[in-house]
Amino acid sequence: MKWTIGDVTVTKIVELEVTGGTRFLLPQATPEAILPIAWLRPHFADETGRLRMSIHSFVVQTPTQRIIVDTCLGNDKQNRRIPHWNDRDGPFLADLAEAGFPPESIDTVLCTHLHVDHVGWNTMMVDGRWVPTFPRARYLMGRTEYDHWSTIHDRPDMAHILADSVTPIVEAGLAAMVETTERICEEIRLVPSVGHTPGHVSVMIESRGEQAMITGDFMHHPCQIAHPEWATLADSDPEQGIETRRTMFADLADSPVLVIGTHFAGATAGRIVRDGDMYSLDSQEQRP
Ligand SMILES: [Zn+2]
């Protein structure tokens, strides 16, 4: 799946798609609450009101850079809280190469934040060691994000994630800490969208008068466009997350920005439009 924004292309590489089982993430998104939101079907919810979600990376190709945004779960990882996220043996790297992007061709890795499903393929297991999957890349990580997660000690799961997917990058000398408003290249800049995590960023793409935004996790599912007040249980600061969504949706609804969702299944992208006194996602033109 591919989108073109001026001179930039964005390609989605899927690691995992799921339907249902999202109660641990969005407890308010019950089938009874989802069914009335008709525009969520068929791409983002099924006929019984269960949410469809996806874990994927985006490869952003500009005239000068090949950037992979977020690196999913990875293979062979241990000590993950979700059972089937452990000991994975998926074809992600083969799929990435088949799409035209072998790991050595990636020159920038960009993590919107440092949660488990966004840093996994930063590293891979070779001869019993975690080594950088993208050996020629600069890995961009938020300074605020890195400082936060590397100094808290009440989240043993985050300690494991840093140890196998972040620290090896730092030790290999490939990490570059960036600010939440950093410009990456002429077409790409970061936009702070905090709440889900303290240093969370979204990725703005601008080329030849066209614009798109890769969301990261300031929202996890399009149902939050209809219900910005629905926080996920994974949010560091739920109130700030709600504020971020309200501000973002108000801005995006008055703009031509194509919103490309980091966990959106199916059509994955669309434009946020006003829908009475609410918002919805118009993904019509994006349907394959
Ligand atoms: Zn995520």
Side-chain angles (χ1 to χ4, degrees):
M1 204 168 209
K2 188 173 257 189
W3 300 269
T4 302
I5 303 97
D7 293 333
V8 178
T9 61
V10 177
T11 306
K12 176 175 113 168
I13 309 291
V14 176
E15 187 183 49
L16 195 62
E17 283 179 336
V18 290
T19 301
T22 53
R23 203 56 82 85
F24 76 96
L25 188 67
L26 276 161
Q28 288 155 297
T30 60
E32 298 71 37
I34 292 301
L35 281 173
I37 312 170
W39 58 266
L40 290 175
R41 299 187 297 276
H43 286 266
F44 310 119
D46 72 5
E47 291 299 321
T48 64
R50 294 186 306 168
L51 302 185
R52 294 190 203 281
M53 292 193 71
S54 171
I55 296 178
H56 49 251
S57 292
F58 294 113
V59 178
V60 179
Q61 178 74 58
T62 79
T64 59
Q65 292 213 37
R66 180 170 288 178
I67 306 167
I68 187 165
V69 178
D70 291 330
T71 62
C72 304
L73 295 165
N75 280 356
D76 303 309
K77 304 285 168 161
Q78 309 282 337
N79 301 302
R80 298 325 196 217
R81 286 203 293 195
I82 310 275
H84 67 277
W85 289 1
N86 288 285
D87 291 313
R88 286 184 47 80
D89 181 22
F92 180 83
L93 284 189
D95 293 346
L96 189 65
E98 195 172 320
F101 310 113
E104 59 275 13
S105 75
I106 301 288
D107 46 47
T108 306
V109 179
L110 173 54
C111 301
T112 58
H113 61 301
L114 297 181
H115 275 171
V116 57
D117 51 324
H118 298 260
V119 300
W121 278 109
N122 281 3
T123 58
M124 59 183 181
M125 179 66 86
V126 177
D127 297 332
R129 290 178 53 233
W130 294 111
V131 302
T133 305
F134 306 99
R136 303 161 85 117
R138 238 176 13 130
Y139 285 68
L140 309 183
M141 302 176 192
R143 184 186 309 282
T144 310
E145 194 69 9
Y146 181 75
D147 288 350
H148 174 76
W149 294 116
S150 54
T151 52
I152 62 159
H153 303 289
D154 59 345
R155 284 282 302 264
D157 57 323
M158 283 302 300
H160 290 301
I161 292 159
L162 291 186
D164 59 42
S165 303
V166 175
T167 306
I169 301 304
V170 175
E171 289 178 347
L174 298 182
M177 300 301 160
V178 296
E179 306 308 322
T180 55
T181 54
E182 194 96 6
R183 179 169 287 281
I184 310 304
C185 62
E186 188 184 329
E187 300 85 1
I188 314 290
R189 64 186 166 88
L190 304 184
V191 179
S193 46
V194 296
H196 179 55
T197 61
H200 186 278
V201 294
S202 302
V203 183
M204 184 63 89
I205 303 167
E206 294 157 312
S207 176
R208 296 190 181 274
E210 298 184 344
Q211 291 178 297
M213 176 192 275
I214 294 175
T215 57
D217 286 1
F218 82 80
M219 59 173 154
H220 284 73
H221 187 277
C223 69
Q224 290 172 287
I225 297 170
H227 288 283
E229 77 282 10
W230 285 358
T232 75
L233 296 179
D235 292 349
S236 285
D237 184 338
E239 287 303 318
Q240 194 169 36
I242 292 167
E243 186 59 36
T244 291
R245 280 189 292 282
R246 290 192 198 284
T247 307
M248 281 285 196
F249 297 160
D251 289 347
L252 291 167
D254 296 321
S255 83
V257 176
L258 179 68
V259 173
I260 306 178
T262 291
H263 288 304
F264 293 7
T268 303
R271 289 191 165 77
I272 291 180
V273 293
R274 293 185 190 274
D275 188 358
D277 56 359
M278 291 159 67
Y279 302 105
S280 64
L281 186 72
D282 179 3
S283 58
Q284 283 292 352
E285 65 192 279
Q286 302 300 325
R287 284 180 191 173

